[in-house]
Amino acid sequence: MKAQLRTRVTTGIGIFYLSSILFFLYAPILVMAAMSFNASEFYQLPFQFSTQWYERMWENEAILSAAWRSIWIAIVTTVFATALGTAASVALWRYDFPGKRILQVLLFPPIAIPWLITGTAMLIFFFGVGIGRGTPAVILGHVALALPYVIVVVTARLATFDRTLEEAARSLGARPWMVTRRVMLPWIAPGVIAGALFAFAVSFDQFVISYFLSEPGDSTLPVLIYTAIRKGFTPEINAISTIIIAVSMVVMLTAARFTKFGGEK
Amino acid sequence: MSEVRVNNIVKTYKTARALDDVTLTFPDGGFFGLLGPSGSGKTTLLRTIAGFVEPDTGSVTIGDRPVVNVPVEAREIGMVFQNYALFPNMTVADNVDFGLRVRGVTGNDAKRRVAEALELVQLGPLGKRYPHELSGGQRQRVAMARAIAPRPRVLLLDEPLSALDKSLRVDMQIELKRIQREVGITTIFVTHDQEEALTLSDRIGILKGGRLVREGRPQEVYADPGDTFTARFLGEANVFDGKPEGSLLELLGGARVTRPEKATRIAVRPEHMTVSTVEPEGPNVLRAELRQRIFAGAMGTCVLEWQGQPVKAIARQEEFDGLPEKGAVWLSWSDRHARALTVD
Amino acid sequence: MSGGINIARTDKLRAFALLSPAYLWLTLAVFLPLSAMAFFSFLTEVPFGDAEWSVTLTNYSAFFESSTFSRLLLKSVMLGVKVTALCVLIGFPCAWVLAKMIKGRAREALFLMVILPFWSNSLVRIFSWAIVLRGNGVLDKFVNAIWPWDVKVNLLFSEWAIVIGLVHSYLPYVILTSYLALQAIDDSLIEAARSLGAKWWTILWRIVLPLSAPGLLAGAVLVFVPVVGSFMEPRILGGRMGTYYGTLIEDQFVAVFNWPLGAALSFILLAVVLIILAVASPILKRAQT
């Protein structure tokens, strides 16, 4: 009885603690969402409901075009990073060759070096070779950043792949391409989808690299938001931010459900 | 159907010899058991035949076709894996169909052959299930059906029953034998379970440290193991060393026993040992100490000690009951049960 | 289909075909730029157009001659230490609750909730703290509503604001890595320890912490490295207070346009980061085994 009570009390404390953390994590986001519906331009309380910031945002050409640019850059990044990353993971997983360890270690710089350093280095190099600033430079940078994430996620999924399945397929007469298409790809699909989502998130969320590489009139949404904040807050930023957060959460939740369904068994 | 031959196969991993000059013929339509302790190279040999392992030197032929340079998928083999390796994303029927489809067999022809294969393993109605919805024994059958459906030239089984529990394993042994007889396919299987090998195989080969130490019909090999390792690995054996004294062998303590084939070492199976409280007539008699009697149903095991060496004897119940718990007894065997062993 | 195909050779070709696109891309976008930056850090001028330039060490000696640079680097490193420590202290217990005290579907759902903010834009999150923390802002109103005396809560443009914002941004990393490490610890180990009479602090100290150290450290590195190089968060939440080593580098590239100096400063930061990674790597390696 006593032990049971103690377990209950500790579990209670644990859940209370966890709730406080969740409050800390979500409170500012909720405040931001609330403020996007507040009439006051200077976030004055008491709260007065209004949708005017959404309407204004909808007419703000700069915000809308930056948002679209961010989305399509993220899509292009996702396609490239997922394709190249999946191919590389399969090769790293399947083949043994001298220098493999080095290749694996080389995946870490984009993750482990502060983006400030990578970003400024890209700026210098792209200027030097004539690529310059602008959307192509941004995509080059985003794909490079997203690649290691895709490789890590897909490799993790590959690690759960039973190599004897491949051997079984070959013993049944399947050529390498058939083995890949019919046996391995179906198995790693959830990992590839998760990797693609990571790539999208990395690109869409990416500020530092975009900041150094995008052209002033041609910025992505995070860069635009940064500039707006430094020039003085405008509640339209709240509106677009709320939309971004809502959309990314919905996407992530569906993705979480979807990837769960894909496998495990 | 085809005979499979491996000639002078050598395979080295780093510095360890996994296969050391193995030459062996697997007869057409036969059921061949490869047996050996772990690390003996039996799985490496099977995987060399399959093509997953490329030998350093030596040749492999399936039928009359040399296959060392042929990739796995073109060797026309069927293989059953230890963990079955059923494709989790396909139904049972699709698993069985896989090998047919990659060979270009489709439509009604494929359907009929999938049904036949499933019928053969008595899983007819389960085609629409997924592997994770099956029991261990059923998965084993699916793996068999999948390997057989494309009509391979040779069937390779890698410890196919080791994942099943004991009683199921015995049932599946009978099933496996039946299926193999019905299909009549050359079958090579790897096991570390000697009993399983003796039950299933027409011929067995025993590997140790990458070398083939013995090959033959199971009865033959069991009755006349030839070397100490085989004698001890296949069943149990009491091994005695002695000095030759003409046609006899003088053992430790001066006892003289019959000497088969000029050997200096002989083996006697426990079931051929007789334990008695009165001194028996004839040769091959040792004075030993009975240490322990273990009752086990129809048979009983006696643990004895002779000249500091443990000796085991298996006695039928009536003999067993007549023995004391402990104490000095006589051990004997008849001439024909003493087998010569090589000393290595 | 017949014999004669050299299996190993075709494998090598396939591996090369699959790997080269990814690694070419990384070379073009990461490795070459880093090399270019190393080169730049030794130049007097940006070598574009017809600018006169020569090789020099002044960019590095500048760092050691003026105390401003090293003071700012120290300030950034200290910020990294504070934020990392807070993240670990807050995040590890949180991961423990998730991994060991909550079971089944509730755990999955809660875990998802914890890492979900991760996927919302980091800039937007920092910005929302600005709204919360500013004078006359939400926190101010909230505190005054429950506190009987009149207080002014204005944390914005203080180091506190920066720390809070950064902890909020990076806490999920520590929770995620600790959670994965804790989940890998077999419950029966803890049960075994309890059956031997160990109290909870002994279990924590002798079993749980040693076993989860690699995961915890990985989380700490994932926090520390970007925080040391952060510049956006200090700018938004720190205002005039928010001059750090990161903002210093940013200025060289976007305001002062002294790229060689910026490159040298970046490389000094990189050296610091690499030293920290080198110190951490023996423990991190243990995680892979």
Side-chain angles (χ1 to χ4, degrees), chain B residues 42-60:
Chain B
K42 55 191 191 302
T43 299
T44 311
L45 183 58
L46 191 80
R47 291 170 65 81
T48 306
I49 297 167
F52 294 121
V53 172
E54 208 181 339
D56 302 342
T57 60
S59 67
V60 179

Side-chain angles (χ1 to χ4, degrees), chain C residues 19-79:
Chain C
L19 284 166
S20 48
Y23 280 91
L24 272 178
W25 199 297
L26 285 177
T27 308
L28 183 63
V30 179
F31 305 129
L32 285 177
L34 286 173
S35 323
M37 179 131 115
F39 174 61
F40 258 55
S41 65
F42 292 104
L43 300 186
T44 48
E45 272 297 329
V46 188
F48 301 145
D50 34 43
E52 296 267 322
W53 59 275
S54 58
V55 176
T56 174
L57 280 173
T58 45
N59 297 315
Y60 286 95
S61 60
F63 176 85
F64 296 100
E65 276 157 18
S66 151
S67 66
T68 325
F69 294 148
S70 46
R71 202 173 42 76
L72 284 177
L73 180 57
L74 185 69
K75 192 179 168 195
S76 279
V77 169
M78 285 314 293
L79 181 71

Side-chain angles (χ1 to χ4, degrees), chain A residues 162 167 170-172 174 186, chain B residues 47 52 73 77 83 89 103:
Chain A
D162 181 357
E167 295 185 344
R170 292 186 64 195
S171 79
L172 289 164
Chain B
R47 291 170 65 81
F52 294 121
E73 57 270 23
I77 54 162
N83 63 355
N89 55 320
R103 282 172 170 76

Side-chain angles (χ1 to χ4, degrees), chain B residues 62-89:
Chain B
I62 298 176
D64 291 324
R65 181 182 176 208
V67 291
V68 164
N69 288 320
V70 177
V72 178
E73 57 270 23
R75 287 194 184 191
E76 297 179 79
I77 54 162
M79 187 153 175
V80 174
F81 294 80
Q82 198 169 357
N83 63 355
Y84 316 134
L86 300 179
F87 306 125
N89 55 320

